Amino acid sequence: MTRVAFVGLGAMGLPMATNLLGKGFAVTGYDLSLKALDALESAGGRRAGSAAEAAAEADVLVLMVVNAAQAEAVLFAGGALKALRPDGVVALMATCPPAAVEAIEERVRETGRRLIDAPVSGGVAGAKAATLTIMAAGPRDTFDAAKPVFDALGDKVFHVGERPGQGAMVKTVNQLLCGVHIAVVAEAFALATKVGVDLKILLEIMSGSAASSWMLRDRGPRMLEAEPEVTSAVDIFVKDLGIVLDAGRDTKAALPLAAAAHQMFLAASGRGDGTADDSQVIRSYFALNGSK
Amino acid sequence: MTRVAFVGLGAMGLPMATNLLGKGFAVTGYDLSLKALDALESAGGRRAGSAAEAAAEADVLVLMVVNAAQAEAVLFAGGALKALRPDGVVALMATCPPAAVEAIEERVRETGRRLIDAPVSGGVAGAKAATLTIMAAGPRDTFDAAKPVFDALGDKVFHVGERPGQGAMVKTVNQLLCGVHIAVVAEAFALATKVGVDLKILLEIMSGSAASSWMLRDRGPRMLEAEPEVTSAVDIFVKDLGIVLDAGRDTKAALPLAAAAHQMFLAASGRGDGTADDSQVIRSYFALNGSK
């Protein structure tokens, strides 16, 4: 039986850890939130007083923290890496810039331990239902060592490459597409508004045509609402398209569409809409073009 | 029984006219191509020696020509409008800029005749199968007069607004989304290439995630081919995104994503790839970013 240390028991991490418990893994968790630790215990897991304590004697250390800086803090300053047994595997499942993942992996490797770069997509719903998409990169044997854990968390587990950083890049590319797809729906709706086209009919037509996207069908209806429920905030794409553009800088790739889309999310956040639903990037277009 | 004059018997027009014949309409057609006129006759239609001759005594004059300039030439210089009976309806089904449609409608209205602005989407396959999407704008009674014709040509017939030009705008918005969706897939793939991610696996993951779009699933596989079959050429999007940006100018709407995408198609055409499959806009990214 694989022993898992799980650090980061937030909206994604807690249901993921719970799924591991449900599938027979021994899970020791750590989070700054005592409430999260209580919830893990209720689900049958063990609580640790620190990330290092959680990592001690684990076979796989899952990091589902907020960003690369937190992952570094947990692993290095926090001592979790040292506490991990020498043949243990670090599964970095948080969304991080590809270059940051490469740097972290190098430091992990220097200690003789292994890292698998394994970001996820599918959101909280996918975390709960164990239907996450997992985009893992690292040497095949490292991937194989972590695969039982991944299979308990998602139903679309891909080995995307041999080099850590490649998983983060696939996730980055995923966010590039998602962010631009949201922004372009807003751009299209803002143009249609100029000549008084009924946006509900427009959305119905576009949803069934070659112009359709997953985001058009999901975010489009919420763009027509003045104050939609927040399913994912504007500031998430301020961050994620920021990671996309950082990846472009690190690899020296010009990304004109992602850059333009990022500006619209950034402006929305700057006007005070950072916590609004990300569909409300359309307000940037209305502000820019003076309509509605 | 509605008598239809059909001008423009190309790849789209001929199957559309054939569907009208199959559904019992009397169709008189005109095209510069004698071969197209032969084909119409074989399908049971009548050939005319000019657009004006086709229009004479028709209830509905369908224009399925290449662009607004051809529509104007047929209607005005070509005399088709004058030949049309006073209560006849012009169904402008070609893809035209919204402002051009408004200008044409004004001149049609001055003669006492009516115009319905009714561009289509669905391509040659939709034209053949009578499954086109038809985005019609004009006063309700004009729409009602042309609706039997539309119902014979498509299965998704929408009355998108009362003002001619609004249909063209819906089609314009459709092309905005389609063009940006193709370009952003190219941008995403070009970034992934920088770190050696396997694009086939990437495409498989993106096709099943929130990053998916109709265009990603259709054009994505062709982006991975060096010389894919041409289903729609780069130059079509040079033209159509040009119409999008013209619509933005006419209505004073800033369209940063459409503008950036247009540049990439334009550059592809400028390098000699105008007749290549539009998926090959990815070559602009490879040229720009120096990869592959």
Side-chain angles (χ1 to χ4, degrees):
Chain A
M1 193 177 64
T2 307
R3 290 159 302 179
V4 178
F6 205 110
V7 178
L9 298 164
M12 297 285 295
L14 186 59
M16 289 166 72
T18 304
N19 282 331
L20 286 170
L21 288 164
K23 281 160 191 164
F25 291 86
V27 179
T28 304
Y30 178 68
D31 195 284
L32 289 174
S33 155
L34 295 180
K35 240 171 111 176
L37 292 173
D38 290 344
L40 181 71
E41 271 190 329
S42 304
R46 290 199 316 165
R47 69 198 299 155
S50 69
E53 188 190 318
E57 296 183 32
D59 302 300
V60 177
L61 165 60
V62 175
L63 297 178
M64 197 59 206
V65 292
V66 169
N67 54 30
Q70 282 194 7
E72 285 173 351
V74 164
L75 284 173
F76 309 124
L81 184 62
K82 257 194 206 149
L84 190 67
R85 35 191 288 182
D87 61 346
V89 171
V90 176
L92 178 52
M93 305 190 77
T95 295
C96 302
V101 173
E102 287 174 40
I104 291 170
E105 191 272 338
E106 204 176 309
R107 291 180 68 183
V108 169
R109 188 158 28 90
E110 280 167 5
T111 73
R113 296 177 181 82
R114 297 171 290 167
L115 181 139
I116 185 92
D117 162 29
V120 307
S121 78
V124 173
K128 287 182 178 165
T131 56
L132 291 170
T133 298
I134 297 171
M135 301 153 265
R140 168 61 71 174
D141 62 344
T142 310
F143 174 74
D144 289 342
K147 191 159 186 295
V149 171
F150 297 157
D151 285 338
L153 299 173
D155 60 357
K156 294 173 284 292
V157 178
F158 294 94
H159 186 217
V160 302
E162 296 282 325
R163 288 208 325 271
Q166 291 177 315
M169 183 59 101
V170 172
K171 171 78 195 236
T172 298
V173 160
N174 191 80
Q175 295 311 91
L176 186 164
L177 288 162
C178 289
V180 172
H181 285 170
I182 296 173
V184 74
V185 175
E187 182 165 311
F189 282 8
L191 175 59
T193 303
K194 283 279 186 180
V195 298
V197 167
D198 183 327
L199 295 185
K200 268 190 199 140
I201 296 177
L202 183 71
L203 180 60
E204 185 185 348
I205 299 172
M206 299 299 112
S207 296
S209 88
S212 188
S213 70
W214 193 96
M215 283 296 175
L216 177 108
R217 286 189 297 266
D218 189 76
R219 302 305 206 271
R222 293 214 293 282
M223 281 190 202
L224 309 189
E225 296 175 39
E227 291 292 346
E229 196 194 340
V230 180
T231 58
S232 185
V234 163
D235 276 343
I236 302 286
F237 271 108
V238 171
K239 172 177 79 71
D240 282 4
L241 284 174
I243 290 177
V244 168
L245 296 177
D246 285 347
R249 286 187 194 190
D250 292 334
T251 60
K252 301 280 184 290
L255 304 170
L257 296 174
H262 191 227
Q263 300 301 305
M264 304 309 277
F265 284 101
L266 209 53
S269 185
R271 288 192 321 277
D273 288 338
T275 58
D277 187 67
D278 58 21
S279 62
Q280 298 309 304
V281 71
I282 195 169
R283 295 180 195 168
S284 285
Y285 281 96
F286 289 147
L288 184 64
N289 287 328
S291 42
K292 242 198 183 169
Chain B
M1 193 178 65
T2 307
R3 291 159 302 179
V4 178
F6 206 110
V7 178
L9 299 164
M12 296 285 294
L14 186 59
M16 289 166 72
T18 304
N19 282 330
L20 286 170
L21 288 164
K23 280 159 194 166
F25 291 86
V27 179
T28 304
Y30 178 69
D31 195 282
L32 289 174
S33 155
L34 295 179
K35 239 172 111 177
L37 292 173
D38 291 345
L40 181 70
E41 272 190 329
S42 303
R46 290 200 316 165
R47 70 199 297 155
S50 70
E53 188 190 317
E57 295 184 30
D59 301 301
V60 177
L61 166 59
V62 174
L63 298 177
M64 197 60 207
V65 292
V66 169
N67 55 28
Q70 282 194 7
E72 286 173 349
V74 165
L75 284 173
F76 308 124
L81 184 62
K82 255 194 204 146
L84 189 67
R85 33 190 291 183
D87 61 347
V89 171
V90 176
L92 179 52
M93 305 191 78
T95 295
C96 303
V101 173
E102 286 175 40
I104 292 170
E105 191 271 341
E106 202 176 311
R107 290 180 70 183
V108 169
R109 189 160 24 91
E110 279 167 5
T111 73
R113 295 176 182 83
R114 295 172 292 167
L115 180 138
I116 185 93
D117 162 30
V120 307
S121 77
V124 173
K128 286 183 178 165
T131 56
L132 291 170
T133 298
I134 297 171
M135 300 153 265
R140 168 62 69 171
D141 62 342
T142 310
F143 175 74
D144 289 342
K147 189 156 187 298
V149 171
F150 296 156
D151 286 337
L153 299 172
D155 60 358
K156 292 171 286 291
V157 178
F158 294 93
H159 185 216
V160 301
E162 297 281 325
R163 290 205 325 270
Q166 290 176 315
M169 184 57 100
V170 171
K171 172 78 196 236
T172 298
V173 160
N174 192 81
Q175 296 309 93
L176 186 164
L177 288 163
C178 290
V180 172
H181 285 170
I182 296 173
V184 74
V185 174
E187 184 165 309
F189 282 8
L191 175 60
T193 303
K194 283 279 185 179
V195 298
V197 167
D198 183 328
L199 295 185
K200 268 190 197 139
I201 295 178
L202 183 71
L203 179 60
E204 184 185 349
I205 298 173
M206 299 298 113
S207 296
S209 88
S212 187
S213 70
W214 192 97
M215 282 296 175
L216 178 107
R217 286 189 297 266
D218 190 76
R219 302 306 206 270
R222 293 214 293 282
M223 280 188 202
L224 309 189
E225 297 176 40
E227 291 291 346
E229 197 194 338
V230 180
T231 58
S232 185
V234 162
D235 276 342
I236 302 286
F237 272 107
V238 171
K239 172 177 80 69
D240 283 4
L241 283 174
I243 290 177
V244 168
L245 295 177
D246 285 346
R249 287 187 193 191
D250 292 334
T251 61
K252 301 280 186 288
L255 304 170
L257 296 174
H262 191 226
Q263 299 302 305
M264 303 309 277
F265 284 102
L266 209 53
S269 185
R271 289 192 320 278
D273 287 338
T275 58
D277 187 66
D278 58 23
S279 63
Q280 298 309 303
V281 71
I282 197 168
R283 294 178 195 169
S284 286
Y285 281 96
F286 289 146
L288 185 63
N289 288 328
S291 41
K292 246 202 179 166

